[in-house]
Amino acid sequence: MEIASFLIVFFMVRYIRTSLQTAVRFPEWDRMLVMAQYAGMGLLIADVFIDADFIKWLWHFILIAMVGAAYLLKDFRPVRNVWLAVGPYILISLFNDIVELISKDFYNSIDDAIAIAQVFALVWLVATWISGQKQQKALEKERLKRQQEEEQNRIIASQNVMLEQIVAERTAELTRQKEELEQTLSELKTTQDQLIQREKMASLGELTAGIAHEIQNPLNFVNNFSEVSVELIEELRDERKKEERDVELEEEILNDIAQNLQKITHHGKRADSIVKGMLQHSRASTHEREPTDLNALADEYLRLAYHGLRASDKSFNASLVTDFDPNLGLISVVPQDMGRVLLNLFTNAFYATEQKRKTGLAGFQPTVKVGTRQLGNDEIEIRVRDNGCGIPQAVLNKIYQPFFTTKPTGQGTGLGLSLSYDIVTKGHAGELAVETAEGEFTEFIIRLPT
């Protein structure tokens, strides 16, 4: 009986400590349970050496105290079902000892029944213990599962917080980068506007020498015819002072003066048109289309570009070939913008022929040709061809990119062809194509809808 009681105490203590994790949660109760375990061991040893009845009552006291604690104490509620397992055995053992104490005869008469009842109580205890262990394992498994879910939820919540923080930081970073990009874009647009203005002023500078040369010719005619007209007027006055006036001579002088005035008017208008063209080129484009004589526009800018280059390099000389379609008529374009396109193409053509001339190629004669023609009823074409050094195939697909240039540093901004391409394609819904053979020629083709 004492061994059975010790085993019950041992397993009850182990069960309670394991189930409740008293070492962590209830250290005070854990110490008491350990003491109860040691007390049971001490009673078991004492029972071997001491033959005293009070020892069995101490066993009853320990068992009842542990079952009562498991049942009554709030902290032990999760394991209160332990009394269902050990309760029958404790009650039968207690009843057995009480009956033996009170009536020995009655005890002897029921001794066999009590022994059988104790066996069944032990069987019940084992069965209940096994069932409890299974339930405990199931509960422990459920607890671990719940704990894992809670841990996963905690990790997910932590990750969500971290992700939200990362998203917030990334959003702030993207916002900052967006603001920086917008600022950079604004600065780039400002810089681009400045570079476009510089390119326009650079082309205006290239025009200056050509304009000076072109405007000098009509001014010389105006001055010469004015001087001749003054002489003719003096001659007419002298003739009128004579007593015998020659009416036919006076009429002839008047006709000469009239012709001179007509020539003065013609060359004055020519000078005026050159000045107006220069002003149109220098001021900002209004992007308003006007009916324009492209033949005259191309011819004028060709000569201006040529004389501008000759003003800076007296050794340069080139043949200018024009092939204009007389039936071209007036084409609706923005004259300032189209003038800039032609000036860029002519300047590049003269530059290419000059570079080829400097190679010392025997018999080479720089030639720039410009021609126009009507393509059907809805399109016209302008071709600008030079027999210069051509464009290498390796850079052919880059020539319309902003800031790309094959000229040495300081001789080009790389915006001429880019701006020309935008003016033709975006401003006039046309096409700017190029045909070239390296070392032989380059020909730019402008096609515009009429």
Side-chain angles (χ1 to χ4, degrees), residues 18-35:
T18 303
S19 300
L20 298 180
Q21 297 180 351
T22 55
V24 177
R25 299 176 59 194
F26 311 110
E28 293 293 333
W29 289 117
D30 187 71
R31 283 193 292 270
M32 292 183 180
L33 290 170
V34 172
M35 289 174 62

Side-chain angles (χ1 to χ4, degrees), residues 180-193:
E180 290 178 356
L181 289 174
E182 289 177 348
Q183 178 66 23
T184 303
L185 180 61
S186 177
E187 293 175 357
L188 286 175
K189 286 182 178 179
T190 303
T191 303
Q192 185 182 34
D193 292 340

Side-chain angles (χ1 to χ4, degrees), residues 292-429:
T292 303
D293 186 348
L294 289 182
N295 290 339
L297 189 69
D299 184 62
E300 180 177 352
Y301 276 92
L302 176 65
R303 285 183 286 103
L304 290 176
Y306 175 67
H307 291 300
L309 183 57
R310 277 185 53 81
S312 60
D313 184 3
K314 296 295 183 181
S315 64
F316 177 74
N317 191 18
S319 298
L320 308 182
V321 181
T322 58
D323 181 18
F324 297 132
D325 185 348
N327 299 319
L328 194 65
L330 300 179
I331 306 301
S332 179
V333 297
V334 182
Q336 304 99 308
D337 291 347
M338 196 53 60
R340 292 191 183 104
V341 173
L342 292 171
L343 181 62
N344 284 327
L345 297 182
F346 294 145
T347 301
N348 288 343
F350 287 129
Y351 177 83
T353 58
E354 175 64 3
Q355 293 302 111
K356 188 173 180 178
R357 182 183 71 86
K358 289 180 178 179
T359 62
L361 185 64
F364 174 69
Q365 174 59 43
T367 303
V368 175
K369 179 181 179 180
V370 56
T372 60
R373 63 172 177 161
Q374 183 83 32
L375 301 177
N377 296 324
D378 56 357
E379 192 176 33
I380 63 98
E381 181 180 81
I382 305 173
R383 288 179 174 261
V384 179
R385 183 186 180 98
D386 66 76
N387 62 345
C389 52
I391 302 174
Q393 290 294 324
V395 300
L396 189 59
N397 60 340
K398 300 179 182 179
I399 60 174
Y400 298 132
Q401 293 180 4
F403 309 112
F404 176 80
T405 179
T406 57
K407 296 178 181 178
T409 303
Q411 295 191 23
T413 62
L415 286 173
L417 283 179
S418 174
L419 293 175
S420 299
Y421 184 82
D422 286 345
I423 290 172
V424 173
T425 59
K426 298 178 181 179
H428 292 80

Side-chain angles (χ1 to χ4, degrees), residues 2 15 28 54 76 84 100-101 109 125 128 134 209 247 259 281 289 318 342 350-351 362 391 409 427 431:
E2 287 75 9
Y15 174 75
E28 293 293 333
F54 72 90
F76 285 17
L84 292 174
E100 183 181 7
L101 180 65
S109 65
L125 187 153
T128 307
K134 290 182 178 180
V247 177
Q259 290 178 2
H281 185 84
R289 299 192 183 193
L342 292 171
F350 287 129
Y351 177 83
I391 302 174
T409 303
E431 178 185 355

